[in-house]
Amino acid sequence: MENTLLMGAEAVRETVDRVAAKQDITRDELAFLLSAGADTAGYLRQQARQRAESIYGKKIYIRGLIEFTNYCKNDCYYCGIRRSNKQADRYRLSKEDILECCKTGYELGFRTFVLQGGEDGYYTDEIVCDLVSSIKSAHPDCAVTLSIGEKAKESYRRYYEAGADRYLLRHETADEAHYRYLHPPQLSLSNRMRCLYDLREIGYQVGCGFMVGSPGQTVDTLYEDLRFIKELEPHMVGIGPFIPQHDTPFADRNAGTADATFRLLAIIRLIHPLVLLPSTTALGTIHPRGREEGILSGANVVMPNLSPVGVRKKYALYDNKICTGDEAAECRFCLQNRMKSIGYEVVTDRGDSRVLTRAVKT
Ligand code: SAM
């Protein structure tokens, strides 16, 4: 028994070292690292943490998240703000509200604002450009990240010219059949990917990503996600567990696990070392120390919520979301203390990605 355990630990070590050295992973190595015993998986996370530290030291970047609308024209089966959810209590923030969130955030030390929302036609390209340029003129030393879904290349270009620096668009899954399982027929993986390549070509720092444990996910679909990350070379990868929302078609599905999320964070750090990797709110929702453990698995970004408390509960992508009652300052200092408790320091610079944007032919 003891011998078998030792052999298991040895095999994990060898696999982790090999993956770290080549900065790539095979399907079999992935399957092995996802299923290795909890007692041996510690080495994977430890190596990923060391790799993150060799690049970013003890620094953890913070991004102020402003969830500015929960209206959405899309109907993703997993998402609590999908169009068909008649129970969702819809809201939109005004330009003044958003600028106020940025002002509060700036005073709290934030130098990146992430504007996230459903795909809400109310915010036309003109309005989005005006929002971006107003934030940039109020806070020229800050980065603005948009996360507002799939748009035409021309729209992305306009936002970029208005001053947007970064764009987050999780690809959700890189497997065609899995994508169709998670989304209605109007949405396609090819368009999602087109968006990501357009964004990168325009010059944005780009983030893709996926939910861990989404319904229908397998080792094979995850392997395709990792292949896609290697191919796109994003500046950021956002992953967090899938958590069911009670008014969606996936209400009865199991949530993704914290353990699988920690392992995947670690693997992504090892195969794409320079990436900015958030330890997400969803991870903090399914595990009381999820965000700390995410950092200890190789993540290096946290995203405290800057949205006004009055709307927080309404941005209900999934059930039991944490931090919905706290003021911005509470969220910021809570995360700072959590990071400090594990020996890390929250830093307030813009924290630009160190991944170089490749020149891509259109
Ligand atoms: N509309 C934009 C988009 O499509 O990228 C941004 C908003 S969307 C709600 C942000 C992310 O929330 C999605 O990319 C998805 O991965 C995540 N999400 C949605 N429902 C979720 C759930 N039930 N559990 C965990 N994450 C979820």
Side-chain angles (χ1 to χ4, degrees):
M1 173 72 178
E2 208 167 282
N3 255 350
T4 321
L5 271 182
L6 272 179
M7 276 165 56
E10 196 47 41
V12 169
R13 259 173 196 277
E14 274 176 21
T15 309
V16 170
D17 292 346
R18 193 166 55 243
V19 167
K22 64 182 171 174
Q23 296 181 14
D24 206 348
I25 193 164
T26 64
R27 190 226 167 262
D28 288 349
E29 287 164 341
L30 174 66
F32 178 63
L33 291 180
L34 290 178
S35 63
D39 46 339
T40 52
Y43 184 73
L44 166 65
R45 297 175 56 199
Q46 189 193 324
Q47 290 306 105
R49 183 31 34 215
Q50 266 181 27
R51 178 57 60 93
E53 235 165 85
S54 72
I55 301 161
Y56 295 101
K58 293 275 187 187
K59 288 182 178 176
I60 304 297
Y61 295 110
I62 51 169
R63 315 307 199 192
L65 183 62
I66 303 168
E67 299 159 335
F68 70 100
T69 172
N70 71 351
Y71 281 86
C72 192
K73 70 177 171 63
N74 292 334
D75 224 6
C76 309
Y77 302 141
Y78 46 84
C79 185
I81 63 169
R82 64 197 298 265
R83 178 184 71 216
S84 297
N85 183 4
K86 301 291 176 246
Q87 305 306 317
D89 185 3
R90 306 284 172 177
Y91 73 93
R92 289 187 178 108
L93 296 186
S94 66
K95 177 180 173 184
E96 291 68 37
D97 294 332
I98 295 170
L99 287 173
E100 189 57 35
C101 292
C102 295
K103 184 169 177 282
T104 309
Y106 192 87
E107 285 158 8
L108 290 168
F110 288 92
R111 294 297 176 267
T112 294
F113 301 114
V114 182
L115 261 53
Q116 189 181 88
E119 287 194 27
D120 180 358
Y122 169 86
Y123 297 92
T124 57
D125 286 353
E126 289 69 31
I127 295 180
V128 173
C129 289
D130 178 51
L131 279 172
V132 170
S133 59
S134 304
I135 297 173
K136 293 293 275 198
S137 51
H139 308 291
D141 53 338
C142 291
V144 171
T145 304
L146 292 175
S147 179
I148 53 174
E150 298 175 22
K151 306 279 178 182
K153 185 172 188 182
E154 194 41 41
S155 302
Y156 288 146
R157 199 185 298 283
R158 289 178 68 183
Y159 310 154
Y160 188 75
E161 282 162 7
D165 305 272
R166 307 175 184 152
Y167 205 101
L168 300 183
L169 185 77
R170 288 184 175 183
H171 64 283
E172 312 297 357
T173 173
D175 180 272
E176 283 279 0
H178 188 210
Y179 198 90
R180 282 195 299 274
Y181 188 74
L182 295 175
H183 300 97
Q186 295 77 7
L187 296 172
S188 71
L189 178 57
S190 57
N191 195 51
R192 198 84 179 166
M193 293 201 168
R194 187 272 304 161
C195 291
L196 283 161
Y197 285 108
D198 281 352
L199 289 160
R200 194 182 66 173
E201 200 269 327
I202 291 166
Y204 284 94
Q205 292 179 38
V206 174
C208 67
F210 56 90
M211 294 175 288
V212 175
S214 63
Q217 188 174 69
T218 62
V219 172
D220 291 313
T221 66
L222 283 170
Y223 181 60
E224 289 185 59
D225 290 324
L226 300 183
R227 295 261 53 83
F228 177 62
I229 289 169
K230 288 295 291 177
E231 141 84 32
L232 180 71
E233 296 186 329
H235 303 84
M236 186 179 220
V237 175
I239 69 164
F242 159 73
I243 304 175
Q245 202 280 352
H246 60 277
D247 290 314
T248 62
F250 289 152
D252 298 327
R253 300 307 186 95
N254 291 329
T257 66
D259 177 57
T261 309
F262 299 149
R263 292 178 194 222
L264 283 159
L265 283 170
I267 291 168
I268 292 168
R269 171 64 65 204
L270 292 180
I271 66 169
H272 190 37
L274 298 178
V275 75
L276 292 164
L277 203 53
S279 194
T280 59
T281 307
L283 190 49
T285 299
I286 58 159
H287 186 296
R289 281 174 35 85
R291 285 163 302 173
E292 293 90 317
E293 296 294 332
I295 296 296
L296 295 172
S297 309
N300 69 328
V301 175
V302 288
M303 297 171 73
N305 203 318
L306 280 182
S307 312
V309 175
V311 303
R312 295 255 186 115
K313 278 199 170 56
K314 300 180 187 173
Y315 199 76
L317 310 181
Y318 49 81
D319 289 341
N320 305 317
K321 191 173 165 203
I322 54 168
C323 308
T324 53
D326 301 340
E327 292 291 345
E330 286 174 79
C331 275
R332 189 233 186 273
F333 292 111
C334 163
L335 273 172
Q336 178 168 321
N337 289 335
R338 284 174 181 269
M339 296 302 110
K340 204 171 159 202
S341 75
I342 53 168
Y344 293 86
E345 182 203 357
V346 158
V347 290
T348 53
D349 59 273
R350 279 171 44 131
D352 282 297
S353 164
R354 302 194 191 175
V355 177
L356 296 175
T357 304
R358 285 192 312 195
V360 193
K361 285 199 192 106
T362 41

